[in-house]
Amino acid sequence: MKLSTTIAPLILVFLTISIAAQTVVLEATPADSGRVQKFGPNRQHYIHSYFALGMPIGRSAENVKVMPRVSDSQFGVRYKLKLGEGLATGFDFGYQSHSYTIKQEPGKSLFDTVLYDRERITFGYLFLGPYLRVQPGKRGDVIGRFIDIGAKGGYRINSSHFVRSNLDDGSILKMTRARLQDTEPFYWGAFARIGFNAIAFYFEYMGSTHFTIGPDFPTFTFGLQINLN
Amino acid sequence: MNRRKFCGAYVDILFSLKPFTINGFHFSALFRVLITLAAVVVFSAGLSAQSLHWVFFTEKNLATTSPADILDEAAIARRIAQGIPLITESDLPISQAYRVAVSEVGAEIAGESRWFNALVVAANPDVLASISAFPFVSHVRPVATYDSGLAGKSVDTSWPEIKEKNLALARMQTGRMQAESFTSRGFTGKGVRIAIFDAGFPNVDEHPAFAHLHRNNRIIATHNFVKDDSNVYAHHPHGAMVLSCIAGQYDSLWLGLAPDAEFLLARTELARLETKQEEHYWIMALEWADRMGAHIVSSSLGYTEVRYFRENLDGSSMLSRAAAMAVAKGILIVNAAGNERGNSWGSIVIPADSDSVLTVGGTNPYTDAAINFTSPGPTADGRLKPNVVAYGEVMAAGRKGYTRTFGTSFATPLVAGFAACLLQANPGMSTIDLMRAIERSGHLYPYFDYHHGYGIPQASRALAGALPEVAATFRIKVTEDYMNILVDTTYLPELDEEGFPVTQGKNLYYHIQSPGGRLRKYGVVQAEKEEALYFIKEELIDGDKIRVHFEGYTNTFTIDKGEQ
């Protein structure tokens, strides 16, 4: 029944007019412009994709210091349900990568104590993050200013340890180990975002650890999110 | 001032502190800078919108005022010509006592509207609360801000001269509106005053395209509402390009229809990247144009989703209401439909939704049908928009030389020039009559649709005041199941040996109008065969009107299934 009510008008429009092998310059079936839309940046429902890049904040354990480089990258889809003029909720779903570049200095002891030219540990997660959004000010059909507070949970789908060194004989050592041992399969955390339209700065706290034993990385991330549509 | 001091102190602290750690959390200088940047980006975007408010007053101090004290001679002449009262309450200045009271509680006056009896003030929430408590204050509301809404698609890749291949376009942008019918009778906009609202008019005081305007003192006044001074000959070149589509000159060729009109140039837009615009500039410019005696306003600006939803396209916005008041005072507002087709907004812009505005869409010069970006109507309450169309791709004067450019921004001044010529021909014509006359002169009239309105205004029709007699160019053949539209074969293009048309087929326009009045479907096809179009009868609804236009001839068929 539902299918027929959806398709019937389309068939009707298609059948009503047929153009007898002429060049079509314009064809328009105007929507009811006065009807209140349910989907849009400031409508009842909204979905958009986004990507994010962030840096670790805070100190990691002494034996696994990380370089201050981009460690967090995300690509996700965000759903927003408008609850009222200044309040909304929703969830993010996507892929998140934690990739830490390890400082090569004496005292490093994660996996081994060898000092490489470059060493990187990466974790990839599928995540789901419900959030609550507060939006001050009047606006039209745009996202506007907002502050989000939310929680986040993820399932690890990949992990790897990469090292690279230029050896004395001129050759290059490159090694990647996947499916790291002693890592947590799940992670959880919380986040806050402050943004305007397509841009948001986010602050993320990781409540769980990456490893089941031993030292871990900084628990805070600060970064920038940009909407893609 | 306090805010500045606070920011300065904050920056000092930000950079003087060394990195520190609390509970293992490391506060580096970089982190503090990023946090500050985040706060600035988010809140600075909102501060400007919230700091400016309209303060509406309950009544005016009705002191006796002579029209000559507040209106230019041209404004008085316009009102006399149209039989409009010389002065009404809405023309009177805002009470000085109200200004003083508002200032004394700490608000900074940033603008005003006599028509709405309102001041624009910059004030914090406490001050606004004090103002709202005044017994003479009706209500307070934020000044609306918008996306930068210039309705031009590309600007200013200027060439010193118009190349031969572009000269045809330069001729046709006025020729398609039958410029010759106006110029041969001496109608060039003389005696008509046109105000242009835009983002800037750089080099208009030096550009050869406008030399005749300066030579003949045709630029009557300028005002920069953004900076509150008179310098408009700088900033964004969009306004100069728009002006050239009314009165620009290249050698002996006019780029617009009203080179002898008088001009009021108002800068009402900032037009930087995504800069928010404030509605009071446009409204203040409109009132200024009224006082300065403008007959026509050409506004190639439009506002969309930052402040509005599409269902707000019902003429109720403050800009649309101001446009309605302008018509009551004898000013025709010609506004761009916008370039939103295919964008998220996808419809006409505000204030093009106003009943009182002549909304102009754009056509593709090579197909003579709607250009791919022109905003379609109708309004949210189903009224026809745009009203008419003109070329959406034109040759215009750029910052230095001449440029080929796109946008309903440039269709708008072409129609404004048309209106000026028609008004010169009919000096006493009321604004509404002028608007209707332009609609009736559309090359498609009485056919209409939401992309073309009534089509491209035709000077011969406008001057004659009547539609030409046109023989039928198509006929309808009704069979048991179909309604076929058969065009006169003399209008069909020649075919080559393989049966393909050698030239482009002529446009056949059609729409289906529901019994409620809205168009359910419409389109344009190039007729290349005798049977250009057919409708399946079974799928049409009782009371539907099918209207078809082909080569100047329009016919309407009403579906009455009871007769079948």
Side-chain angles (χ1 to χ4, degrees), chain A residues 15-18 20 22-23 25-28 30 32-34 42-43 57 138 140-142 145 196 201 220 222, chain B residues 25 34 38 305-309 311 379-380 519 521-526 528-529 531-532 534-536 539:
Chain A
L15 292 178
T16 302
I17 301 165
S18 294
Q22 313 289 24
T23 301
V25 180
L26 172 72
E27 203 171 18
D32 182 354
S33 51
N42 190 22
R43 304 286 189 174
I57 299 291
K138 291 190 89 173
D141 197 11
V142 291
R145 287 173 292 152
F196 182 71
F201 290 93
F220 292 96
F222 180 75
Chain B
F25 192 88
L34 286 174
E305 68 258 42
V306 171
R307 191 69 187 188
Y308 290 110
F309 295 95
E311 59 266 28
T379 62
L519 300 188
K521 173 136 184 156
Y522 59 91
V524 183
V525 296
Q526 290 175 341
E528 291 158 2
K529 293 181 179 175
E531 187 186 276
Y534 64 86
F535 305 88
I536 299 174
E539 308 298 345

Side-chain angles (χ1 to χ4, degrees), chain B residues 123-272:
Chain B
N124 63 39
D126 291 340
V127 172
L128 285 174
S130 303
I131 291 172
S132 299
F134 287 138
F136 51 82
V137 170
S138 155
H139 62 286
V140 174
R141 53 148 278 204
V143 167
T145 58
Y146 313 92
D147 267 338
S148 178
L150 299 179
K153 296 286 280 187
S154 66
V155 292
D156 208 30
T157 47
S158 302
W159 304 302
E161 58 186 35
I162 298 179
K163 293 177 184 171
E164 186 60 35
K165 65 177 183 179
N166 290 327
L167 270 176
L169 175 62
R171 290 190 192 98
M172 278 311 295
Q173 65 196 45
T174 56
R176 185 66 186 86
M177 302 168 86
Q178 300 179 327
E180 176 63 20
S181 293
F182 279 141
T183 52
S184 63
R185 292 168 171 83
F187 299 133
T188 54
K190 195 166 188 177
V192 177
R193 198 166 276 192
I194 302 174
I196 300 176
F197 300 170
D198 221 292
F201 304 84
N203 295 333
V204 164
D205 49 345
E206 297 172 356
H207 199 298
F210 308 111
H212 63 289
L213 297 181
H214 295 287
R215 203 167 46 242
N216 300 314
N217 294 319
R218 299 280 193 230
I219 297 179
I220 305 301
T222 61
H223 196 87
N224 183 340
F225 287 87
V226 179
K227 297 204 166 185
D228 196 21
D229 61 32
S230 62
N231 179 23
V232 297
Y233 298 129
H235 317 295
H236 198 283
H238 190 268
M241 299 164 80
V242 166
L243 174 61
S244 74
C245 290
I246 303 178
Q249 184 176 23
Y250 175 72
D251 287 342
S252 59
L253 179 67
W254 297 111
L255 302 176
L257 289 166
D260 290 329
E262 297 172 345
F263 292 94
L264 306 168
L265 306 181
R267 181 175 179 240
T268 61
E269 300 291 311
L270 286 162
R272 291 195 203 113

Side-chain angles (χ1 to χ4, degrees), chain B residues 51-100:
Chain B
S51 59
L52 286 177
H53 282 72
W54 286 104
V55 176
F56 297 87
F57 302 110
T58 51
E59 57 189 34
K60 276 190 172 174
N61 186 358
L62 294 172
T64 309
T65 306
S66 160
D69 291 341
I70 54 175
L71 298 175
D72 185 87
E73 280 178 21
I76 295 170
R78 185 193 72 222
R79 292 183 187 206
I80 291 171
Q82 296 195 26
I84 294 170
L86 280 185
I87 198 161
T88 63
E89 186 180 338
S90 62
D91 296 310
L92 297 175
I94 292 163
S95 165
Q96 186 60 24
Y98 297 167
R99 290 173 180 276
V100 171

